[in-house]
Amino acid sequence: MEQKEFKSVNKSVRKKDSMQLLTGKPVYTDDITPDNALVVKILRSPHANAMIEEINTAIAKKVPGVVEIFTWEDVPKNRFAIAGQTFPEPSPYDRLILDRHVRFSGDAVAIIAAENEKAALKAMKLIRVKYQVLEAVLDFHNAKDNPVLVHPEEDWYPPCPVGGDNKRNLVASETEVRGDVDAVMQDCDIVLERTYHTRAFNQAMMETFRTYTELDRYGRLRVVASTQIVFHTRRILSNALGIPKSKIRVEKPRIGGFGAKQSVVCEIYPAFVTLKTGRAAKLIYTREESQIAGSPRHEMEIKVRIGASKTGKIRVLDLYTLSNTGAYGEHGPTTVGLSGHKSIPLYTGSLEAHRFVYDVVYTNHQAAGAYRGYGATQGIFAVECIVNELAAKLDMDPTVLRDMNMVREGMIMPAYYDEPNNACALDKCMQHCRELFGWEEKYPVRDMGNGKVRASGVAMAMQGSGISNVDVGSATVKLSEDGTYNLLIGAADMGTGCDTILAQMVAECMDCDVDDVAVFGADTDASPYDSGSYASSTTYITGKAVEKACADLKKTICSIASEMLECSRDEVVFESDHVRCAATGKCVSLRDIAYKTQVGNTQPAEATATHSSPVSPPPYMVGMVEIELDKLTGQVTVLDYAAVVDCGIPINPALARIQTEGGIVQGIGHTLMENVTYDAHGRPMESSFLQYKLPTRLDMGKLRVEFEHSYEPTGPFGAKSIGEIVINTPAPAIAHAIYRATGVWHSELPITPEKIAMACPVE
């Protein structure tokens, strides 16, 4: 479809909050909340699995400045889940605010509230706890049907039937089959079977988990939190604390999180303190707490079988995913689905059959949660790696193999809930990326001397745009008395720039400048309902709500103007900053219309619209990487990464490019250096950035990002999502390049220098 010329959309507009961030203005939770709140600290378990036999807080309570210390005996006994998901949640209700049974090293044992941090930390050292240490389930391969149960309790509750059974250490389980997988596999010329393993990577956002709570002037619980899910947070707090949702208000300032804050990791503790003491409270996680008791990516093991003809036609894919949810089940049932549903459909163009089976198991490790890519990252790593290996077996160019088999526009995708592929430029992305990267020149392996080799790799990816038939976005657009607009949203800008992007949509619809749109969000008292900023839903879902609200507001403005111009509604025309009567040529300004609404008016100059979609159109991406590998040390240097993305029509190309660059860097980190490991007792070993290595600007090489446009008819202005897909191609592309350089396939992330050096053939 020919691209329309836009005035505000598809333009690189400066972010709404850019100057505040650049000049260091107070915008984050700790910047804007009072300093005189009670300091909340959490005493944590040193054991992976234990029962609290005795807990003595008497001496600790005598520390000057300590206000109160709470244990498992003081909290409500309401089971709940902390996953920010639409009700009824797929995640099991398996938590208490504090539990006598602690299930991982880092689990909460006691809540300390004090006048200052020094008193709280001193009291923490004086609490005496006697534990009955229990055998722990530390290997997720052995978790299912293990006689040691992570959750033996009788009040374990699954709101949705997702195949879970706490008496089997099972959070979720499912089998999906299309076609006769075994028969097609048997008929294939080439069959490969491989197992891939990805770690529980941490989001490592600069702003750790944090929450401020107080009782407002009406006695309601006010919560200011670094969260991307204000409405879900309100429901979760209501469930946990046993108070009505109407007694809770949740607000979001500027946040950072990469998905980690789709879980209510810390909000409950200060909220409980405020309810018990009547005083304001604040909890700020240390970096160590965010690393050992946060919400990292799910560790997964993915077994893949692929069957193909000798000409390169991929005929069948068979995936089994084993996912480690850790000690609690939040996001476990949903992340695992993406490992198959966002990888298998990439090869819709040739598949005759597929099978996708998964199990999600409890272990006595830190509970996992949401992270950019949300399961698709793990599945795409596995599928793209085995496709690259298939290309090597066939002695084919891996980009040509993908050209033969990839999903294309107009296809129905059986492995993607039978959704139609209305907008897809994946084929164009592949060709564009080949040219941008210089694939023909860089694909051959080049010996640079001194044991150094240069090689390249490729991968492609897809994601989604919201959750079909589930996610809801809403927007309120109001005409202000000076003729400008206010946009109220419940979606959370967490660095993605959604405040700016949605304002651009208002500007496009109302034919005004982006600076004439003031954005407010998110606040459960003032914002219209929105599921929240996750599942790559905001641009696609909330953006469509903005488009609808603007259309409704235009009608109201024209109706008011027709009365002022004394002509019929059909005769008036909306024109940027005024409304004109076509019959008489008379005009009335938006400013005058706004003032009219304040005098003897019966039509509000505002509109609220809500949107949900029955489909979730995938964005697509192709990534190519050039590395230099030192065979002696195993060191990998990323020299060049080129990516071409199809996100429909990018609303703000500059922000879309930044999103892509950031996701690529995160993917490089997952592939080459980031790691989560545990000692023999189940204690996490990477508790700070000294141990948990993150990529810096020096590790990126040259990043180049460009776009291929498609037009999604169900999206606002033809847009799809971009936030998550961008993290999915680095791991398989880099693994491919490492194979090209060494002749060795690596199936476990991260691929560290030690692994490469030990696996390199001795020459």
Side-chain angles (χ1 to χ4, degrees):
M1 182 172 180
E2 187 177 347
Q3 187 179 334
K4 176 186 173 183
E5 183 61 37
F6 297 108
K7 177 183 175 182
S8 298
V9 162
N10 196 220
K11 306 295 181 187
S12 295
V13 176
R14 189 173 71 182
K15 288 175 70 175
K16 285 283 186 181
D17 58 358
S18 58
M19 292 309 296
Q20 287 81 1
L21 293 169
L22 187 64
T23 56
K25 299 298 183 184
V27 293
Y28 292 93
T29 301
D30 197 35
D31 299 329
I32 64 172
T33 53
D35 295 327
N36 60 352
L38 292 176
V39 173
V40 178
K41 291 291 181 182
I42 308 298
L43 174 68
R44 301 187 178 278
S45 168
H47 306 294
N49 195 18
M51 294 293 291
I52 299 172
E53 291 188 337
E54 295 177 16
I55 181 164
N56 189 329
T57 61
I59 297 174
K61 285 182 177 180
K62 294 179 181 178
V63 172
V66 170
V67 174
E68 190 57 87
I69 298 174
F70 303 102
T71 71
W72 65 274
E73 295 178 294
D74 304 310
V75 300
K77 300 302 184 278
N78 309 315
R79 293 275 171 194
F80 61 95
I82 66 168
Q85 298 173 308
T86 299
F87 181 84
E89 304 97 310
S91 300
Y93 285 14
D94 56 9
R95 283 184 178 264
L96 296 175
I97 298 174
L98 294 173
D99 201 333
R100 186 182 179 189
H101 187 174
V102 287
R103 294 175 171 85
F104 71 97
S105 178
D107 209 350
V109 172
I111 304 169
I112 303 155
E115 301 289 355
N116 55 70
E117 187 174 24
K118 183 177 180 181
L121 293 175
K122 184 175 181 180
M124 187 184 295
K125 296 176 182 178
L126 296 174
I127 299 173
R128 297 291 174 255
V129 187
K130 182 180 178 182
Y131 297 95
Q132 178 192 356
V133 180
L134 306 173
E135 183 181 349
V137 181
L138 298 177
D139 185 346
F140 74 130
H141 300 94
N142 306 323
K144 184 179 174 181
D145 295 322
N146 194 302
V148 176
L149 297 180
V150 179
H151 281 275
E153 65 269 13
E154 295 300 323
D155 58 347
W156 182 90
Y157 171 65
C160 291
V162 293
D165 184 347
N166 63 314
K167 298 305 171 67
R168 300 182 63 198
N169 283 336
L170 201 58
V171 175
S173 182
E174 189 173 338
T175 298
E176 174 190 301
V177 184
R178 292 291 184 94
D180 193 333
V181 171
D182 296 326
V184 177
M185 196 76 74
Q186 193 171 12
D187 189 51
C188 287
D189 299 319
I190 296 177
V191 174
L192 299 178
E193 182 174 343
R194 301 289 182 265
T195 300
Y196 300 89
H197 180 214
T198 63
R199 297 285 188 178
F201 303 115
N202 269 295
Q203 294 88 348
M205 58 280 169
M206 285 191 291
E207 186 200 30
T208 61
F209 300 98
R210 54 196 59 203
T211 301
Y212 168 83
T213 57
E214 66 178 7
L215 296 179
D216 70 12
R217 60 188 179 277
Y218 301 112
R220 299 168 72 223
L221 178 65
R222 177 178 177 241
V223 179
V224 181
S226 182
T227 179
Q228 57 198 80
I229 43 155
V230 291
F231 287 97
H232 294 332
T233 298
R234 182 178 64 177
R235 183 190 65 244
I236 291 165
L237 290 173
S238 173
N239 291 344
L241 299 169
I243 62 174
K245 298 177 186 66
S246 60
K247 299 293 185 182
I248 304 171
R249 176 186 183 184
V250 181
E251 303 169 52
K252 172 215 75 80
R254 183 65 160 74
I255 73 165
F258 303 120
K261 291 161 184 178
Q262 195 192 333
S263 295
V264 179
V265 171
C266 76
E267 287 87 335
I268 288 163
Y269 305 118
F272 179 72
V273 167
T274 290
L275 287 182
K276 296 293 284 187
T277 66
R279 295 184 56 182
K282 188 185 291 188
L283 172 57
I284 297 177
Y285 271 28
T286 63
R287 178 58 58 187
E288 180 179 1
E289 286 180 298
S290 289
Q291 290 291 113
I292 70 167
S295 184
R297 191 184 292 286
H298 286 75
E299 177 186 23
M300 291 187 188
E301 183 178 87
I302 302 169
K303 295 180 181 179
V304 189
R305 283 199 304 157
I306 190 170
S309 70
K310 58 187 176 184
T311 60
K313 180 185 178 184
I314 298 173
R315 299 179 60 195
V316 58
L317 274 168
D318 188 2
L319 263 70
Y320 170 68
T321 301
L322 178 64
S323 178
N324 180 5
T325 195
Y328 299 97
E330 50 259 20
H331 297 285
T334 43
T335 49
V336 70
L338 276 65
S339 69
H341 295 141
K342 302 291 171 72
S343 59
I344 299 171
L346 282 167
Y347 296 95
T348 298
S350 61
L351 279 183
E352 299 169 32
H354 76 267
R355 177 163 50 211
F356 176 38
V357 182
Y358 61 74
D359 288 315
V360 183
V361 294
Y362 282 119
T363 63
N364 291 113
H365 285 157
Q366 173 185 192
Y371 189 171
R372 189 183 212 167
Y374 202 81
T377 311
Q378 296 95 310
I380 288 170
F381 169 64
V383 169
E384 288 299 278
C385 279
I386 205 167
V387 168
N388 280 329
E389 185 170 352
L390 175 64
K393 291 281 185 186
L394 294 168
D395 195 25
M396 285 184 67
D397 183 318
T399 67
V400 174
L401 179 66
R402 287 176 170 83
D403 284 337
M404 292 172 55
N405 295 282
M406 69 172 61
V407 64
R408 292 176 185 265
E409 189 164 289
M411 291 180 176
I412 301 296
M413 299 175 283
Y416 193 60
Y417 312 104
D418 288 312
E419 288 193 15
N421 197 15
N422 293 324
C424 175
L426 182 57
D427 53 344
K428 296 177 183 176
C429 289
M430 183 64 75
Q431 182 57 33
H432 188 159
C433 201
R434 269 192 288 249
E435 296 168 2
L436 175 67
F437 182 73
W439 179 256
E440 299 296 333
E441 299 79 34
K442 291 182 178 177
Y443 184 57
V445 178
R446 289 141 288 151
D447 191 329
M448 309 304 292
N450 296 322
K452 294 184 178 181
V453 179
R454 289 190 179 181
S456 298
V458 63
M460 62 186 191
M462 63 178 279
Q463 194 75 36
S465 300
I467 306 171
S468 310
N469 295 306
V470 172
D471 283 347
V472 171
S474 301
T476 298
V477 184
K478 301 165 62 174
L479 177 65
S480 181
E481 62 187 16
D482 61 356
T484 61
Y485 298 95
N486 292 88
L487 171 63
L488 283 67
I489 56 173
D493 193 327
M494 48 183 178
T496 53
C498 80
D499 286 358
T500 308
I501 289 164
L502 297 175
Q504 286 180 255
M505 294 184 190
V506 173
E508 187 69 40
C509 291
M510 307 307 291
D511 194 17
C512 67
D513 292 331
V514 176
D515 288 341
D516 289 336
V517 183
V519 184
F520 172 84
D523 182 329
T524 55
D525 272 11
S527 301
Y529 178 80
D530 196 291
S531 301
S533 296
Y534 60 86
S536 298
S537 65
T538 304
T539 298
Y540 176 71
I541 298 290
T542 308
K544 199 66 178 178
V546 168
E547 201 175 36
K548 288 180 175 180
C550 287
D552 291 344
L553 179 58
K554 269 188 182 178
K555 292 177 184 176
T556 302
I557 290 173
C558 286
S559 178
I560 297 169
S562 67
E563 294 180 6
M564 298 172 68
L565 293 167
E566 297 179 331
C567 60
S568 72
R569 169 65 184 83
D570 295 336
E571 291 180 309
V572 298
V573 181
F574 184 96
E575 294 179 339
S576 186
D577 61 351
H578 64 272
V579 176
R580 177 174 57 85
C581 178
T584 65
K586 291 182 179 179
C587 297
V588 61
S589 70
L590 289 184
R591 182 176 303 206
D592 288 340
I593 295 170
Y595 279 121
K596 174 65 178 70
T597 64
Q598 299 176 356
V599 182
N601 178 56
T602 58
Q603 300 181 73
E606 63 181 65
T608 298
T610 296
H611 182 68
S612 188
S613 176
V615 295
S616 175
Y620 296 97
M621 176 179 179
V622 172
M624 295 179 180
V625 65
E626 180 188 22
I627 64 166
E628 183 170 275
L629 185 145
D630 188 325
K631 289 189 174 183
L632 181 63
T633 65
Q635 180 65 39
V636 172
T637 302
V638 175
L639 301 176
D640 185 19
Y641 202 106
V644 180
V645 183
D646 162 26
C647 59
I649 303 299
I651 303 299
N652 188 316
L655 295 184
R657 181 170 286 106
I658 291 167
Q659 286 282 295
T660 308
E661 291 173 352
I664 289 169
V665 173
Q666 285 180 307
I668 291 170
H670 291 179
T671 309
L672 296 177
M673 60 192 71
E674 295 182 51
N675 205 359
V676 173
T677 57
Y678 293 86
D679 67 17
H681 303 288
R683 298 187 184 99
M685 298 175 70
E686 291 81 17
S687 59
S688 78
F689 287 163
L690 290 175
Q691 297 91 12
Y692 192 78
K693 303 299 183 184
L694 293 167
T696 70
R697 183 64 188 88
L698 299 176
D699 301 301
M700 297 179 196
K702 181 168 64 173
L703 300 182
R704 291 179 289 162
V705 174
E706 294 188 7
F707 299 92
E708 278 291 339
H709 295 172
S710 61
Y711 186 89
E712 174 51 50
T714 66
F717 308 101
K720 301 187 287 188
S721 76
I722 193 163
E724 294 186 273
I725 186 176
V726 294
I727 200 172
N728 293 335
T729 59
I734 294 170
H736 184 208
I738 291 170
Y739 160 74
R740 295 280 296 164
T742 64
V744 177
W745 291 105
H746 290 268
S747 58
E748 181 180 61
L749 298 180
I751 309 172
T752 59
E754 294 87 346
K755 291 178 184 177
I756 296 170
M758 294 296 288
C760 273
V762 178
E763 297 180 359

